Amino acid sequence: MNFFLDLLETMFPGELMLLGALLVPFLKGKLRLGYVVLLPILSLLHLLTLDVGYEAGATLLGYPLEVVRVDALSRIFGIVFHIAAILCCIYALHVKGWVEHVSTLVYAGAAIAATFAGDLITLFIFWELTALSSVFLIWQRGVVQPSHRERSYRAGMRYLVISVASGVLLLGGAILHYQDTGSLHFGPMGLDASRGAVFIFLAFGMKAAFPLLHNWVQDAYPEATISGTVVLASFTTKLAIYALARGFAGTELLIPIGAAMTAFPIFFAVIENDMRRVLAYSLNNQLGFMVVGIGIGTELAINGAAAHAFAHILYKGLLLMSMGAVLYRTGTIKASELGGLHKSMPLTTVFCIIGALAISAFPGLSGFVTKSMVISAVGDAHLTIIFGVLLFASAGVCDHSGIKIPFFTFFAHDQGWRVKEAPKHMLIAMGLAAFLCIGIGVAPSFLYALLPYPELAAQYHAYEATHVLTMLELLLFAGLAFVALMKLGVYPPELPGLNLDFDWFYRKGAPPVVREVYGLAGYARERLWSATLGAREAVRNIARTHHEPPGGRMGEPWSASATTLWAALILGIMLLLQYGCSPAAGLH
């Protein structure tokens, strides 16, 4: 027992999951499934033994690294990442193969380890490991569903390109930052800290799905496996939010970026037919609130960003789990093909509604007590326009995720689906997530105590009359607008199809351009090769003309007299050169 306790003391957070994942392929049946759920639980217990202020270092190629740094900011993200990993592993108990389980554990473990990294190199290592491990959750769908193989492969490759590009920017930025500052410490830096800070900022922005860099979320997440989508939505973007809060809190550029993130997904989510893509767009929307809070940078704003990230992982996971259960039972996730499922899947319907109310920030649920912090911070900063944008975005997310998702899936236009309720393990995972959504909303003090500035959080009162009335008015407005648009027949119909926004440029616009460029490059290569061959042949012909007998002037045998004459001439030239270059020649 002492040996294992001593071993745990030498481990960094998440390492237990990373190493434990190596044993998963060798276990079978219920033993494997129990082991997969047990690992993140043990990892969470290990984290809880580490006190705030704990640090551990190592040396890599002579450079000192701060592998572990436990503080209030990393601790709250580490805890929610563990909770998400436990829920995801329970939800995925129907998965028979080992690849998805290993990918989930390595992905979650790497995200947790990155959260506690105190230097940029350690962060980079685990940053890239999250990318390499998570892509298998996308490709695995093509394995279990061969008809989807080409789509999942292409989506996975695009996801991998974005992820690796983010890692390259992070590594390059870390090198430049070290050259300018002489330090690899990962802490507050700002955009003007060094030449590398901008590259690091862009690396985080790609993973946080900044506007114009966001499409990998809608492209990749809905193409993953049923449980893989839940896993993907839990870690990558929230790890980026943590990294922004760590390195760029108070960077004012983040405020308009975050505001744009909250607003633009609304329009695409309303017309989207794939329910998991709708939730991917709403993920962008919710990330925007966190980015705005980080940009403001006050203690209240950072508390709000961290709290909202915590709540978001839970309620977004709950919504994606409910949609995954629907996909598991019906084989489709298209709004145009669903409806009336509340009769067959009543528990899933209830859990989905809880998640929908939580993401809509309905009073009494987790989204309300966390989003109100961010909006209060915006109000305290007197950012009137940003405040209006966030209110508009709050109403919008209520429309497309709070109303559209449960309405079109479980109630509207009954398609005659009569299926089984979701499997028990899925219901358990959804039930736990729903319990946490309600628990945080009813008793937010437990979450507030974990925030980076707990003293300030203890003084914050989410259930002030102004907050409650404002949010209820917004929700009422969104609900009335939805009903009115439906009754008038103006609400965008649910139609099969693929909606593209900025990804049109690389999914539709770029391929023909690439083909043209490739064709031109091929043509230029052929012409250059032909010219090279022609030049070579011309040189060979000249050589034949002068050196190849019979007929070649230099190729014919010389007479003795001609040979003697040329030898004497060459010898004379050499003597003249030798005499002219001799030091003694300059004395005469």
Side-chain angles (χ1 to χ4, degrees), residues 96-342:
K96 302 301 182 183
W98 58 267
V99 174
E100 194 167 337
H101 292 302
V102 171
S103 181
T104 297
L105 291 171
V106 173
Y107 179 32
I112 293 166
T115 301
F116 290 93
D119 66 89
L120 292 169
I121 297 302
T122 303
L123 175 67
F124 164 75
I125 292 171
F126 293 115
W127 191 270
E128 286 296 85
L129 186 56
T130 60
L132 297 176
S133 56
S134 59
V135 71
F136 290 99
L137 297 171
I138 303 170
W139 285 338
Q140 194 63 17
R141 186 177 181 185
V143 175
V144 299
Q145 190 178 343
S147 61
H148 206 84
R149 181 169 299 167
E150 184 66 20
R151 286 184 59 182
S152 63
Y153 171 75
R154 291 182 179 274
M157 287 302 298
R158 291 190 291 267
Y159 171 83
L160 191 60
V161 167
I162 293 293
S163 298
V164 171
S166 172
V168 170
L169 286 172
L170 176 57
L171 179 60
I175 293 172
L176 290 174
H177 185 73
Y178 179 77
Q179 290 177 346
D180 289 351
T181 66
S183 173
L184 290 171
H185 178 72
F186 178 36
M189 57 181 66
L191 291 174
D192 56 352
S194 66
R195 292 175 297 162
V198 174
F199 294 100
I200 297 171
F201 180 80
L202 289 175
F204 296 163
M206 291 180 73
K207 287 294 187 75
F210 280 3
L212 307 185
L213 301 173
H214 66 281
N215 291 111
W216 60 271
V217 176
Q218 291 77 36
D219 181 19
Y221 285 11
E223 301 302 329
T225 61
I226 289 173
S227 54
T229 300
V230 184
V231 180
L232 288 170
S234 300
F235 299 105
T236 297
T237 52
K238 263 62 71 180
L239 175 59
I241 292 297
Y242 160 78
L244 286 171
R246 173 70 66 187
F248 297 95
T251 301
E252 293 184 354
L253 179 60
L254 289 171
I255 298 175
I257 289 175
M261 291 173 67
T262 65
F264 81 85
I266 294 172
F267 304 100
F268 294 100
V270 167
I271 63 173
E272 180 57 55
N273 188 42
D274 186 311
M275 290 305 196
R276 295 203 294 181
R277 281 177 64 88
V278 172
L279 291 174
Y281 275 115
S282 73
L283 186 147
N284 284 113
N285 167 280
Q286 297 296 289
L287 292 173
F289 285 89
M290 306 169 207
V291 172
V292 168
I294 295 169
I296 295 172
T298 62
E299 292 184 353
L300 176 62
I302 296 299
N303 272 351
H308 201 50
F310 193 105
H312 176 260
I313 289 174
L314 298 175
Y315 61 65
K316 180 51 62 68
L318 176 56
L319 285 168
L320 286 170
M321 283 191 282
S322 63
M323 292 301 100
V326 169
L327 177 59
Y328 183 78
R329 287 306 192 197
T330 66
T332 183
I333 201 61
K334 307 293 184 184
S336 56
E337 300 171 2
L338 296 173
L341 281 169
H342 70 281

